[in-house]
Amino acid sequence: MLEKLRTLIGLNSPSRLWRVATALAVGVAVTLSVSACGSGSSTASSVPSGSEEAAESVPNPTLTVGVYHEDLFESIDTNLWDSTTSWAVARLTCVPLVWYPNKSGKAGEELAPGLAEKMPTVSSDGRTYTFKIRPGLQFSNGKPLTAADVKYTFYRLYKVNPGAFLPQIEGAQAVIEGKANEVTGVEAKGNTLTIHLTEKNGAFLQSLSQMYTCPVPRGTTLKPDESGDLPASGPYMIQSYQPTQQLVLVRNPHFNPALGPRGVAGKIIFDLALDQTQALTKIKLGQLATTVESLPSSDALLARHDPTLAGHVFSNVTSTLIYMWMNNDVAPFNNVDVRKAVNYALDRNQLVKVSGGADAAQSWDQMIPPALAGSSKALYPSEPDLAKAKQLMKESGISLPVSTTIYTPDLTNLPLVAQVIQQDLEPIGIKLNVHVASTTVTSAYTSVRAHHAPAGFGAWTQDYPDGGDFMQLVDPRLITSSSDHAHFNVASMIPAFKAAEEKSGKAREVAYQELAKEVQENYAPWAPIFMQVSTQATAPNVTGFAWQGAASMPLLTSLGMK
Amino acid sequence: MSRTPDAQAASGATPGLAAEESVDLAVGITEVPERTARSSGLRAVLRRNRLVTCAGAVTLLLLVLAVVGGPLAASITGHPPNRQYNNALNPEGVPIGAFERTYNAAGTAHDPNGQLFVLGADLLGRDQLVRALYGLRTSFTIAVGGAILAILGGIALGVTAGYFGGFTDAVISRAIEATLAFPTLLLGVGLALALGPGMLNVILVISIFGWYYPARIVRSVTIGVRNLQYIEAATSVGASVPRILFRHILPRLYSPMLIAGTSVVAANVLFEAGLSYLGLGVPPPTATWGQMLSDAVGSGYYQIDLWLAIVPGACLVIVVLTLNLLGDGLRDALDHRDSYL
């Protein structure tokens, strides 16, 4: 699975050899690239929400969109798209079989046909999906886009991106292992595409919405193509690409409008060398239309109070959940009462404040995001309930005070967040040592179960809007996965995980809501802290800002210029 | 010119002459009672150079502040150094500035009866004045601790190299040059990461990269002294090597090491701040200036509240400038390069 887990942790008390190795590794450490694979459900566009209709005063405008240089593409290859920024480009240059379309509001949060003419028919055993590919589709090079191309795409996907997070399609493993020249579970006949799964999976269609399933023509190289020359299927195509510098998109002349809006801009230039600290200044000067990522919280605040940007600052809750995981195997967090006490003791409102206020975070106490959690009421308070927390600590039976460590990556405001938690837990008898290290080091250390890291921070951005995408992080069956830092291992919960996994549609949504509630209320493996909020500003002459909730990013097709 | 202990003894200043001490007179070394001359020289320098006097006074003040400043400020303001005041941040997370009071419950306005923060609050709502003073203590503890270790190491290696010469000198000198050739901060960062956070580890890292500077000076002084006649005389009457080192050579190092020490401490203050800035210093919540700067700059909030950067930045400037001025003044007063000729 291509994860964009920035679950990060630090080093502490490892063996000397490990420490030395770490020191050496740091020399070449790269910054964490948080790939936000995913579409996301997201929500509530807060303060002023832009209109999807763009001003027509400048026809086919050229817009420059900033991408912070810290978060560059992992790859420009269609079947390797796997980061927030690459998905911003992917949503302009390609369309998968089914997806969350380039629309704002509810329309963008409902799974809809993409290349497929309509949603597929599913066999009674839930293992076979049959799609009809829209007729008359073309790649940007003018070649027809057919079911056979989609079949080839799955083959290439498993060849170049074997870690792609897709439920098991029959024959995929043989391709990954180099034993087959096609995915036997994918059949193409005329415009009909049939996919056979090895087992039923209720989230299969959502997983197909991931942008690395976008089609490539038959015969495309089976090696990663970083030239930017792969033909597009979306409203734009790549005109030129200079890695780490600039990516220029122009309209795709062969785009079929049945696939979605064409996009207002005639040309979109991605500035890939943008220094985060210069973004706001460039936006104010009109040198940038907007940014793909959120402004830093201090810049968001400056923008919010800048009269020249009045009406041009937009905050939206993303699908990224920031949480504190507690290692269920390690004292004192191997005691469920202690974990619950932590949840009651946290001052989530203050944690939001030190993270930059409402333009940067929204207090949250559950394991799945608000958009997926339904009407589920708060499980734990936003303001600390110290009386309850102290009672739980007393009931835990452990001798107080107890000392433990939280591994903290030096990422944005997390060291500050850790210190707030440190103060929050002191009154209930937990002396928390804050161990700050680079994101890479922290992640490397805490990912190893044998290190017994007691606590740390996790950040998860959904791959697609599905409770299962979050709950997999604490699935007892996946306890050995590097993503599972809490090591939640309650065997009696496995049937509930399995049952939810097999459901689809509304039943699945409800099942995961109940599962998330049960796990967090009864076992509290995490202390969820807040949902990240993304704040973008647009240049004074830019119109049409809108938010694609499922993807948790600005809807670039709607941006125009007056 | 400095007077050696043996010569001093020979001149009758110290009762009970050792056998080799009497030789000093025999070889005709002319000793000038120098303590008085040097003291008067120091006073003269201080009189001439008011800045040095000021630097000395400020250094003394800083040392006093490092010891009692933090607790005193915390006691007067009622703000412990690590206590986070929720109402010192507005709802957008912006801390109150200098000479401002905490916000009301709604966070919409300053409460006239709220608590006063003289230098404002940091990003967690902690008192910047109190933390800056505690930061001084942290900074001095690490810088002085690191300097002592570095100087002791430098003296040991420098004396060894300078006195014994030959292969020993070659090895130690090459080690000094090799250490000099490495980018100190980069290696320091790597080492700090390997050792993990903590005050003792930071002191160790700093001393590891601070020994070569005093070692070079010590080696140079030792080479200058070892061939002097009174050393030869001491050797000829059977004085042991330790005795020569401890009685005749080490006293010569007092002045250069005092001068070097101020520079090393100043450099260590910056080194510690650099490590803390990178998150490799003393772990939170202990106050360090580097961490305060890092929080202000890393978050970008210095653009909104300049005090966040000014307070730790100004503290660093004052301390480093003061120590460097003191070092310059001490060199003027004490560093008589011809004193052992």
Side-chain angles (χ1 to χ4, degrees):
Chain A
M1 151 180 144
L2 295 178
E3 60 189 8
K4 57 246 130 101
L5 177 70
R6 298 158 161 182
T7 306
L8 333 159
I9 341 322
L11 72 177
N12 182 31
S13 70
S15 69
R16 184 174 302 275
L17 179 62
W18 184 88
R19 286 177 173 174
V20 172
T22 298
L24 295 173
V26 161
V28 293
V30 290
T31 53
L32 168 82
S33 98
V34 181
S35 15
C37 319
S39 41
S41 76
S42 193
T43 57
S45 188
S46 39
V47 224
S49 178
S51 157
E52 202 168 325
E53 294 173 16
E56 298 290 339
S57 53
V58 178
N60 302 317
T62 296
L63 298 173
T64 302
V65 176
V67 172
Y68 302 143
H69 62 72
E70 295 91 345
D71 196 14
L72 292 174
F73 301 134
E74 289 161 358
S75 171
I76 193 74
D77 189 306
T78 304
N79 298 133
L80 286 164
W81 300 124
D82 194 30
S83 71
T84 307
T85 44
S86 62
W87 280 31
V89 175
R91 297 190 69 84
L92 297 173
T93 58
C94 72
V95 179
L97 270 175
V98 291
W99 70 331
Y100 298 89
N102 283 332
K103 294 177 181 173
S104 65
K106 278 287 175 196
E109 295 176 18
E110 301 288 342
L111 197 60
L115 299 178
E117 208 167 23
K118 57 183 182 181
M119 296 304 281
T121 56
V122 187
S123 65
S124 56
D125 65 358
R127 290 176 49 203
T128 302
Y129 291 72
T130 306
F131 299 85
K132 289 283 184 189
I133 304 298
R134 293 176 195 271
L137 295 180
Q138 288 179 297
F139 284 107
S140 57
N141 59 8
K143 289 185 178 173
L145 195 169
T146 65
D149 292 308
V150 179
K151 175 181 163 69
Y152 178 80
T153 296
F154 279 101
Y155 173 61
R156 182 174 190 271
L157 176 62
Y158 286 117
K159 293 297 280 187
V160 301
N161 190 0
F165 180 44
L166 280 177
Q168 195 64 272
I169 295 175
E170 282 182 8
Q173 195 57 36
V175 174
I176 291 170
E177 292 170 0
K179 297 174 182 170
N181 292 325
E182 64 171 351
V183 185
T184 53
V186 181
E187 297 170 18
K189 286 180 185 170
N191 264 2
T192 301
L193 185 83
T194 307
I195 299 177
H196 303 281
L197 302 182
T198 55
E199 59 183 13
K200 183 179 178 182
N201 189 300
F204 176 60
L205 290 179
Q206 287 97 319
S207 70
L208 284 185
S209 72
Q210 297 174 101
M211 302 311 292
Y212 45 69
T213 64
C214 279
V216 293
R218 274 166 292 171
T220 301
T221 175
L222 293 175
K223 292 180 179 172
D225 185 335
E226 301 299 338
S227 66
D229 292 338
L230 292 182
S233 52
Y236 294 88
M237 62 183 193
I238 295 173
Q239 183 186 55
S240 65
Y241 175 54
Q242 294 170 269
T244 75
Q245 294 299 312
Q246 193 181 63
L247 173 69
V248 180
L249 304 184
V250 293
R251 287 186 191 283
N252 172 4
H254 299 285
F255 177 65
N256 186 332
L259 293 174
R262 278 190 176 279
V264 177
K267 181 189 274 192
I268 299 177
I269 300 169
F270 285 89
D271 177 356
L272 306 179
L274 177 64
D275 185 332
Q276 193 174 3
T277 60
Q278 295 173 7
L280 183 59
T281 304
K282 287 191 168 186
I283 288 170
K284 286 173 68 176
L285 293 173
Q287 295 171 2
L288 275 185
T290 190
T291 51
V292 171
E293 304 100 327
S294 177
L295 290 171
S297 57
S298 55
D299 282 354
L301 194 58
L302 289 170
R304 181 70 71 196
H305 295 284
D306 189 330
T308 63
L309 293 175
H312 286 267
V313 183
F314 311 90
S315 292
N316 294 278
V317 180
T318 69
S319 63
T320 300
L321 172 66
I322 307 294
Y323 58 93
M324 169 189 169
W325 53 261
M326 293 170 275
N327 192 333
N328 293 206
D329 287 342
V330 175
F333 299 122
N334 55 359
N335 186 314
V336 66
D337 286 327
V338 173
R339 300 198 298 269
K340 286 184 189 175
V342 168
N343 271 281
Y344 277 106
L346 290 189
D347 186 345
R348 292 181 170 83
N349 286 343
Q350 185 68 6
L351 289 164
V352 166
K353 249 195 218 181
V354 302
S355 300
D359 282 331
Q362 175 184 291
S363 170
W364 191 241
D365 68 314
Q366 299 183 43
M367 302 181 78
I368 56 178
L372 299 174
S375 58
S376 184
K377 67 177 177 63
L379 302 175
Y380 296 99
S382 293
E383 295 282 350
D385 183 347
L386 286 181
K388 179 76 174 169
K390 285 178 180 173
Q391 180 197 334
L392 284 163
M393 289 302 286
K394 194 175 175 185
E395 288 169 8
S396 73
I398 64 170
S399 58
L400 299 176
V402 61
S403 183
T404 188
T405 301
I406 186 165
Y407 289 85
T408 309
D410 58 351
L411 191 68
T412 58
N413 286 343
L414 283 183
L416 296 177
V417 166
Q419 290 176 69
V420 174
I421 295 174
Q422 187 179 46
Q423 176 164 293
D424 288 346
L425 299 190
E426 196 178 347
I428 65 170
I430 298 178
K431 185 183 179 303
L432 194 66
N433 302 306
V434 176
H435 191 297
V436 181
S438 78
T439 297
T440 313
V441 170
T442 304
S443 183
Y445 182 72
T446 55
S447 294
V448 179
R449 195 174 177 187
H451 288 156
H452 302 297
F457 289 100
W460 185 263
T461 303
Q462 66 188 12
D463 299 88
Y464 41 78
D466 176 47
D469 193 44
F470 287 84
M471 294 308 292
Q472 61 165 325
L473 298 176
V474 288
D475 189 334
R477 295 169 297 170
L478 305 174
I479 194 165
T480 53
S481 114
S482 63
S483 307
D484 179 17
H485 292 83
H487 303 142
F488 177 67
N489 192 20
V490 177
S492 62
M493 291 299 299
I494 290 177
F497 274 88
K498 193 163 172 51
E501 181 181 273
E502 289 177 351
K503 290 186 169 67
S504 58
K506 186 67 183 172
R508 180 182 177 90
E509 194 178 316
V510 172
Y512 274 115
Q513 284 170 7
E514 289 172 354
L515 180 63
K517 185 181 173 195
E518 186 177 354
V519 171
Q520 181 62 4
E521 203 164 38
N522 296 336
Y523 303 102
W526 296 351
I529 301 172
F530 55 72
M531 300 302 301
Q532 270 188 349
V533 170
S534 182
T535 297
Q536 271 86 6
T538 57
N541 61 342
V542 169
T543 60
F545 183 92
W547 184 252
Q548 216 297 343
S552 276
M553 64 177 61
L555 187 54
L556 299 179
T557 50
S558 70
L559 288 180
M561 193 181 283
K562 64 183 178 185
Chain B
M1 184 176 188
S2 176
R3 190 164 90 154
T4 67
D6 285 351
Q8 190 178 20
S11 67
T14 306
L17 295 179
E20 75 272 18
E21 287 168 344
S22 61
V23 179
D24 286 347
L25 289 177
V27 295
I29 293 177
T30 305
E31 292 295 340
V32 178
E34 206 206 16
R35 188 176 302 278
T36 305
R38 175 164 296 169
S39 300
S40 63
L42 175 59
R43 277 198 295 273
V45 167
L46 294 179
R47 272 199 303 275
R48 279 201 309 275
N49 194 339
R50 295 291 178 191
L51 199 57
V52 174
T53 312
C54 286
V58 173
T59 305
L60 195 61
L61 177 66
L62 288 171
L63 283 169
V64 172
L65 281 176
V67 176
V68 300
L72 194 62
S75 170
I76 292 170
T77 60
H79 302 158
N82 300 328
R83 169 77 188 277
Q84 300 163 22
Y85 292 86
N86 291 8
N87 54 0
L89 306 178
N90 75 5
E92 292 171 315
V94 179
I96 54 176
F99 298 104
E100 287 184 345
R101 291 186 182 275
T102 49
Y103 289 101
N104 58 21
T108 50
H110 294 286
D111 180 355
N113 298 318
Q115 302 186 62
L116 178 69
F117 283 60
V118 177
L119 292 181
D122 72 1
L123 291 167
L124 290 176
R126 298 174 295 200
D127 191 318
Q128 287 234 96
L129 170 65
V130 175
R131 286 185 67 75
L133 288 168
Y134 271 97
L136 174 64
R137 174 187 284 191
T138 308
S139 197
F140 262 24
T141 305
I142 291 174
V144 172
I148 289 171
L149 281 182
I151 287 173
L152 287 178
I155 288 174
L157 288 167
V159 165
T160 306
Y163 185 80
F164 293 104
F167 179 72
T168 308
D169 183 25
V171 169
I172 293 175
S173 294
R174 296 300 84 72
I176 291 172
E177 287 157 12
T179 311
L180 272 169
F182 282 109
T184 306
L185 187 59
L186 196 62
L187 276 181
V189 166
L191 192 59
L193 266 171
L195 292 174
M199 189 174 285
L200 286 177
N201 286 347
V202 175
I203 290 174
L204 189 61
V205 168
I206 286 177
S207 61
I208 284 173
F209 293 102
W211 64 272
Y212 57 81
Y213 173 56
R216 289 177 72 187
I217 295 171
V218 170
R219 175 181 171 273
S220 166
V221 172
T222 307
I223 289 173
V225 172
R226 76 173 180 198
N227 293 324
L228 291 182
Q229 285 179 319
Y230 73 88
I231 299 289
E232 289 176 11
T235 307
S236 66
V237 296
S240 65
V241 170
R243 180 173 178 84
I244 291 171
L245 292 179
F246 284 98
R247 292 293 305 270
H248 299 287
I249 293 181
L250 289 184
R252 292 283 189 178
L253 302 175
Y254 169 75
S255 296
M257 284 303 97
L258 190 62
I259 296 161
T262 54
S263 301
V264 171
V265 170
N268 287 356
V269 167
L270 286 178
F271 201 166
E272 183 277 330
L275 288 177
S276 294
Y277 187 90
L278 296 171
L280 301 170
V282 184
T286 305
T288 65
W289 293 336
Q291 186 60 52
M292 290 169 78
L293 264 178
S294 172
D295 289 346
V297 176
S299 68
Y301 273 67
Y302 73 96
Q303 301 169 86
I304 297 161
D305 181 1
L306 266 179
W307 287 97
L308 292 171
I310 285 177
V311 171
C315 288
L316 275 170
V317 168
I318 290 169
V319 168
V320 174
L321 186 63
T322 301
L323 289 171
N324 280 328
L325 287 174
L326 183 65
D328 287 348
L330 288 173
R331 188 186 60 217
D332 290 345
L334 303 174
D335 188 15
H336 300 280
R337 292 182 180 280
D338 59 347
S339 63
Y340 26 70
L341 298 179

